Amino acid sequence: DSGVTQTPKHLITATGQRVTLRCSPRSGDLSVYWYQQSLDQGLQFLIQYYNGEERAKGNILERFSAQQFPDLHSELNLSSLELGDSALYFCASSVGAANSPLHFGNGTRLTVT
Amino acid sequence: DQQVKQNSPSLSVQEGRISILNCDYTNSMFDYFLWYKKYPAEGPTFLISISSIKDKNEDGRFTVFLNKSAKHLSLHIVPSQPGDSAVYFCAAIGRSQGNLIFGKGTKLSVKP
């Protein structure tokens, strides 16, 4: 058990809809990362937060947004969903120090129909 | 453009033998490399890492080798066990970036 909790585990929704994925980091970790894994693709970095502030941004679409709350949990909001957004979305956390390993949750599988 | 490449999507090895998983990178600014293991329905789990100032790091049955001139690293598992069957991701990070860049993974199957 990595200590990172993601909810929900599965999500099925229709095109055009909006969903929110939630992540609770490991106790003591200040940094939260979001990754997307599509079929046959590696883990694509979306965005990182550190202690409530955005630290790094990757290939995150404008339809997607995220935030980290004062209690350090994070939410990833996906809107105007398209079929191609179907993927596994992973949250990871770390203490935030350089080169500190990331600890991943078990992911949320999003299916857009 | 993929900065971290794992060119073998899959690898099959007999139990007790050595498993060698390979990874190539293109960005010379990368200075820290990690391997993660992923079982189905679970998130990736950190396995082992290596800094660019070293060329080898060992942890039990797992050894990572780094060849900076070739921009190549490899993960050796000796001896391989059926429980090692998983997808292995290579990842890299550089001082100028804040995020890990992952390869697409190699699925290792260790046959009894």
Side-chain angles (χ1 to χ4, degrees):
Chain A
D1 182 9
S2 67
V4 178
T5 304
Q6 286 188 250
T7 56
K9 288 184 180 177
H10 302 278
L11 203 47
I12 301 174
T13 189
T15 54
Q17 295 299 305
R18 182 180 190 274
V19 297
T20 297
L21 313 184
R22 183 188 167 102
C23 170
S24 294
R26 277 192 334 160
S27 176
D29 284 355
L30 297 178
S31 217
V32 170
Y33 307 74
W34 287 97
Y35 281 83
Q36 179 194 56
Q37 185 182 22
S38 303
L39 194 64
D40 294 333
Q41 295 294 315
L43 293 149
Q44 301 292 319
F45 171 70
L46 296 177
I47 198 164
Q48 178 200 359
Y49 281 83
Y50 178 80
N51 205 19
E53 298 207 357
E54 183 183 305
R55 175 168 272 191
K57 214 166 186 175
N59 300 322
I60 187 166
L61 300 171
E62 284 191 14
R63 300 183 285 109
F64 296 1
S65 65
Q67 58 185 129
Q68 186 179 27
F69 295 86
D71 66 352
L72 300 178
H73 92 271
S74 178
E75 292 181 358
L76 178 67
N77 300 297
L78 315 176
S79 61
S80 303
L81 285 168
E82 301 174 0
L83 295 177
D85 297 328
S86 296
L88 262 172
Y89 291 85
F90 287 104
C91 170
S93 72
S94 77
V95 296
N99 299 338
S100 54
L102 272 58
H103 301 273
F104 283 83
N106 287 337
T108 293
R109 180 172 291 282
L110 173 66
T111 302
V112 182
T113 61
Chain B
D1 179 34
Q2 261 194 292
Q3 298 186 65
V4 178
K5 299 177 186 179
Q6 294 178 256
N7 293 318
S8 298
S10 63
L11 175 68
S12 184
V13 170
Q14 206 67 35
E15 180 180 6
R17 306 296 286 267
I18 185 172
S19 295
I20 300 176
L21 297 108
N22 293 304
C23 177
D24 297 297
Y25 61 96
T26 58
N27 190 336
S28 56
M29 298 300 290
F30 288 147
D31 60 3
Y32 197 70
F33 304 88
L34 304 90
W35 285 93
Y36 281 80
K37 178 169 74 172
K38 184 183 180 304
Y39 292 118
E42 294 183 11
T45 304
F46 170 70
L47 193 56
I48 192 169
S49 62
I50 188 167
S51 164
S52 60
I53 63 173
K54 295 186 173 182
D55 54 18
K56 177 182 174 181
N57 188 27
E58 196 170 348
D59 184 2
R61 297 185 297 113
F62 302 91
T63 303
V64 56
F65 295 92
L66 175 62
N67 182 335
K68 279 181 293 182
S69 60
K71 294 193 178 70
H72 176 83
L73 63 155
S74 60
L75 174 68
H76 292 209
I77 306 174
V78 184
S80 301
Q81 299 173 354
D84 296 329
S85 297
V87 177
Y88 289 78
F89 290 98
C90 171
I93 190 168
R95 283 194 202 90
S96 61
Q97 344 174 212
N99 54 281
L100 275 177
I101 306 294
F102 283 84
K104 290 189 178 183
T106 296
K107 184 176 182 179
L108 173 66
S109 299
V110 180
K111 300 187 184 307

